[in-house]
């Protein structure tokens, strides 16, 4: 058998052939199905981009209308799921609530007809439609309130913000939120997508695929970093404290949250777009002093770590955008999941098209031929 070199974190090892998205980490380029992220952020909507990723082409006007209509009318969740969520402890993290709720969907839709395009489409629609409803429902119920019913007259992002705050959002905030979803929907073979593809390769149902990916996204080295960024900005507290804070992190060899990326060695193009969106929000709704701290951090980190290719990643400015919209910090990662579900589903579909179960190898470095020691002799 061929002996291969072990690469921690599988760095540089291709886990799939994929035509869904592309990253050039040296030039800071991100494309979905060949279209640059900057163009999609300016011209597309989240649902149109989701369609592009999952079905491979931009939809025609009619195709988009049908898809939007289907998603709009599948937003409600079953009362039993809502009642199940009511039993979740309010102190629990919303990502855990989301993972459990996504998995529970599989109980209600247990038919598994993976070769049937209609089944694939129904599952895609149901997951994209209901994940925001579940995130908003948990947020309201943990405060002791009933969840708000989705509004069929509102588009995808406006409806989510409405369900969260019980009031119609400002149109600029809703559009900026929709762009945030576009920026987070897909990003090649990251940890949660890998998780989704491994789970998909066993030919289980899509709810299990999404639930496993949600669990993977939650960690602080992945999607959870956006929450940690806000905590870090709060801890720093003022622009003057930035330099000593960073110096201290470097001395302790601690990671500075929201910086660094396995693939990007320049500033993440999504961070550049998010920074501009944050500025638009500050212009309309008032400045946030955390933005001054963030900008100073970017300057100091560049000065100290540019040689290692450490620059802001997608999580650095997204929290500031959501904070300005009044969204609680522990919902930032569930919002990442609302977007990324479409990317996971695109990978689910691609994996099914040419499936082979993931079964990598390992390099055994344990012992052999050890005799069993009876318990009284240990
Ligand atoms: N702060 C300080 N130093 C860093 C950072 C950072 N945020 N990131 C990487 N480095 C240094 C690291 O110390 C190492 O230095 P040396 O070679 O001297 O030991 C070098 O850069 C390579 O780091 P690594 O940990 O081997 O890189 P990785 O590719 O395994 O990790 C990462 C990538 C994103 C997990 C890491 O950069 C990190 O932990 N960043 C902070 C958490 C974060 O913001 N995560 C969000 C990632 S982007 C969105 C997402 O995936 O969800």
């Amino acid at each position: 058998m061929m002996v291969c070199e072990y690469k921690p974190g599988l760095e540089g090892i291709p886990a799939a052939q994929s035509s869904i998205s592309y990253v050039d980490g040296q030039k800071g380029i991100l494309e979905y199905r060949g279209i640059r992220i900057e163009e999609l952020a300016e011209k597309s909507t989240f649902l149109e981009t989701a369609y592009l990723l999952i079905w491979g082409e931009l939809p025609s006007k009619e195709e988009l209308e049908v898809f939007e209509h289907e998603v709009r009318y599948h937003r409600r969740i079953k009362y039993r799921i809502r009642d199940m969520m009511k039993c979740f402890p309010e102190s629990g993290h919303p990502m855990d609530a989301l993972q459990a709720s996504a998995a529970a969907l599989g109980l209600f839709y247990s038919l598994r007809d993976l070769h049937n395009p209609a089944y694939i489409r129904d599952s895609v629609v149901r997951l994209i439609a209901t994940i925001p409803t579940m995130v908003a429902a948990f947020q309201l119920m943990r405060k002791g309130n009933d969840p708000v019913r989705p509004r069929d007259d509102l588009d995808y992002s406006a409806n989510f913000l409405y369900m969260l705050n019980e009031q119609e959002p400002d149109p600029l905030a809703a559009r900026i939120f929709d762009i945030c979803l576009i920026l987070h929907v897909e990003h090649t073979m990251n940890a949660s997508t890998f998780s989704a593809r491994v789970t998909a390769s066993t030919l289980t149902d899509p709810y299990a695929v999404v639930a496993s990916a949600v669990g993977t996204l939650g960690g602080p080295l992945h999607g959870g970093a956006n929450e940690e960024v806000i905590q870090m900005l709060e801890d720093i507290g003022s622009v003057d404290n930035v330099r000593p804070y960073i110096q201290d992190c470097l001395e302790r060899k601690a990671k500075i949250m929201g910086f660094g990326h396995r693939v990007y060695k320049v500033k993440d193009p999504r961070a550049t777009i998010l920074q501009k969106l944050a500025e638009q929000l500050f212009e309309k709704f008032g400045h946030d002093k955390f933005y001054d701290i963030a900008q100073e951090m970017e300057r100091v980190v560049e000065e100290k770590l540019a040689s290692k290719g450490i620059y802001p990643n997608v999580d650095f400015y997204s929290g500031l955008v959501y904070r300005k919209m009044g969204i609680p910090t522990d919902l930032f990662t569930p919002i990442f999941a609302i977007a990324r579900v479409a990317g996971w589903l695109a990978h689910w579909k691609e994996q099914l098209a040419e499936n082979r179960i993931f079964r990598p190898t390992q390099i055994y470095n344990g012992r052999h031929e050890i005799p069993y020691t009876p318990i009284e002799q240990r």
Side-chain angles (χ1 to χ4, degrees):
M1 194 183 152
M2 200 175 74
V3 180
C4 21
E5 190 194 345
Y6 167 54
K7 294 276 195 168
L10 299 185
E11 182 168 5
I13 312 247
Q17 295 201 71
S18 179
S19 59
I20 300 170
S21 65
Y22 169 79
V23 172
D24 182 329
Q26 300 298 331
K27 296 194 185 129
I29 292 173
L30 169 59
E31 291 172 343
Y32 297 161
R33 298 283 186 190
I35 304 178
R36 288 284 276 264
I37 187 69
E38 290 81 1
E39 208 174 350
L40 289 165
E42 190 192 330
K43 299 175 185 160
S44 188
T45 62
F46 170 66
L47 283 184
E48 184 185 58
T49 301
Y51 187 103
L52 165 73
L53 289 165
I54 295 165
W55 284 285
E57 300 286 344
L58 283 170
S60 67
K61 195 164 175 292
E62 290 72 27
E63 285 167 335
L64 182 59
E65 275 169 13
V66 171
F67 183 53
E68 283 176 345
H69 181 87
E70 287 173 325
V71 170
R72 200 177 285 257
Y73 292 101
H74 282 86
R75 287 171 178 166
R76 290 191 199 146
I77 50 174
K78 290 197 177 286
Y79 80 86
R80 286 185 182 194
I81 293 207
R82 188 196 60 208
D83 288 357
M84 177 194 81
M85 294 176 79
K86 270 188 188 154
C87 301
F88 293 169
E90 55 272 19
S91 58
H93 195 286
M95 276 302 267
D96 294 329
L98 181 60
Q99 188 184 22
S101 316
L105 278 179
L107 290 164
F108 293 92
Y109 306 100
S110 53
L111 169 77
R112 198 185 300 148
D113 193 3
L114 300 175
H115 298 294
N116 181 353
Y119 171 82
I120 305 246
R121 183 162 181 125
D122 283 356
S123 312
V124 163
V125 166
R126 186 171 298 117
L127 277 157
I128 291 179
T130 53
I131 292 247
T133 313
M134 294 192 290
V135 171
F138 182 67
Q139 168 61 10
L140 267 80
M141 288 192 288
R142 69 176 170 165
K143 292 194 294 186
N145 299 330
D146 266 330
V148 171
R149 282 167 82 90
R151 280 242 319 254
D152 293 345
D153 60 318
L154 295 176
D155 70 21
Y156 190 79
S157 289
N159 173 62
F160 172 69
L161 294 172
Y162 164 74
M163 290 190 296
L164 207 55
N165 300 315
E166 298 184 72
Q167 64 182 54
E168 269 188 52
D170 174 271
L172 176 71
R175 172 62 190 152
I176 286 183
F177 186 85
D178 203 62
I179 298 173
C180 290
L181 297 185
I182 295 175
L183 298 177
H184 286 87
V185 60
E186 161 63 10
H187 206 244
T188 71
M189 199 52 62
N190 54 84
S192 58
T193 300
F194 183 45
S195 197
R197 283 192 85 126
V198 171
T199 310
S201 79
T202 69
L203 302 185
T204 186
D205 66 72
Y207 309 102
V209 169
V210 167
S212 74
V214 169
T216 309
L217 183 68
L221 295 187
H222 192 6
N226 55 14
E227 297 180 24
E228 308 262 336
V229 167
I230 295 297
Q231 184 58 51
M232 175 182 72
L233 295 174
E234 275 172 13
D235 292 346
I236 294 174
S238 77
V239 170
D240 289 346
N241 292 338
V242 166
R243 195 168 280 276
Y245 177 90
I246 289 173
Q247 198 55 44
D248 178 58
C249 286
L250 296 179
E251 278 160 22
R252 289 186 293 111
K253 294 199 181 305
K255 294 277 172 65
I256 304 158
M257 287 293 134
F259 287 88
H261 199 278
R262 174 66 60 82
V263 186
Y264 291 116
K265 299 303 160 205
V266 294
K267 186 168 175 178
D268 185 329
R270 300 167 298 173
T272 307
I273 301 172
L274 281 160
Q275 186 174 5
K276 289 192 192 125
L277 297 178
E279 284 171 0
Q280 279 183 45
L281 281 174
F282 300 148
E283 212 166 280
K284 178 149 186 194
F285 300 107
H287 191 67
D288 182 343
K289 77 163 188 171
F290 281 9
Y291 184 54
D292 302 330
I293 301 175
Q295 279 184 302
E296 177 67 1
M297 285 194 78
E298 189 176 340
R299 269 191 293 274
V300 178
V301 171
E302 180 167 359
E303 183 191 302
K304 307 248 177 219
L305 292 172
S307 58
K308 284 191 191 175
I310 310 290
Y311 288 92
N313 59 46
V314 68
D315 289 319
F316 191 57
Y317 287 110
S318 62
L320 287 176
V321 171
Y322 299 143
R323 202 176 110 88
K324 197 69 213 170
M325 291 181 183
I327 296 173
T329 308
D330 63 0
L331 290 190
F332 295 175
T333 320
I335 288 169
F336 194 155
I338 288 175
R340 189 55 65 86
V341 68
W344 296 325
L345 291 168
H347 282 270
W348 170 58
K349 199 164 159 287
E350 190 174 66
Q351 181 67 34
L352 290 182
E354 274 188 49
N355 188 53
R356 188 155 190 230
I357 189 167
F358 276 90
R359 197 351 181 150
T361 187
Q362 62 168 17
I363 296 169
Y364 179 67
N365 62 0
R367 301 178 296 167
H368 290 285
E369 304 292 337
I370 303 296
Y372 177 81
T373 314
I375 196 155
E376 54 286 352
Q377 290 173 24
R378 284 178 225 157

